[in-house]
Amino acid sequence: MRLRVEFTTEPFDLDEAPAHAVVARDVVTGAELDAVDVGPFGNTAEGDAERVLDAVNALLRESLQAGATRVSLQVNVIGEAAGSGEGDAT
């Protein structure tokens, strides 16, 4: 199964990326996920379910530890994993 995660961390700082946002970005860019897109108001990444779920776990733990007061996220099933024999159901 493939998943897409969309997330934001707060509080926002438009002048400089807060430590919790940098940590969250580092987690998703280092998690070997596909289609990673990070921005000032929202971030997305896609990949195999296990990798996405592991990244979400690390993202929550590390960004909260780095000072996030809120983490908003949404996880969607977007299809079957490549090579699963089920085809792409996106």
Side-chain angles (χ1 to χ4, degrees), residues 67-78:
T69 57
R70 177 184 297 200
V71 179
S72 301
L73 64 90
Q74 179 173 309
V75 178
N76 296 318
V77 175
I78 58 170

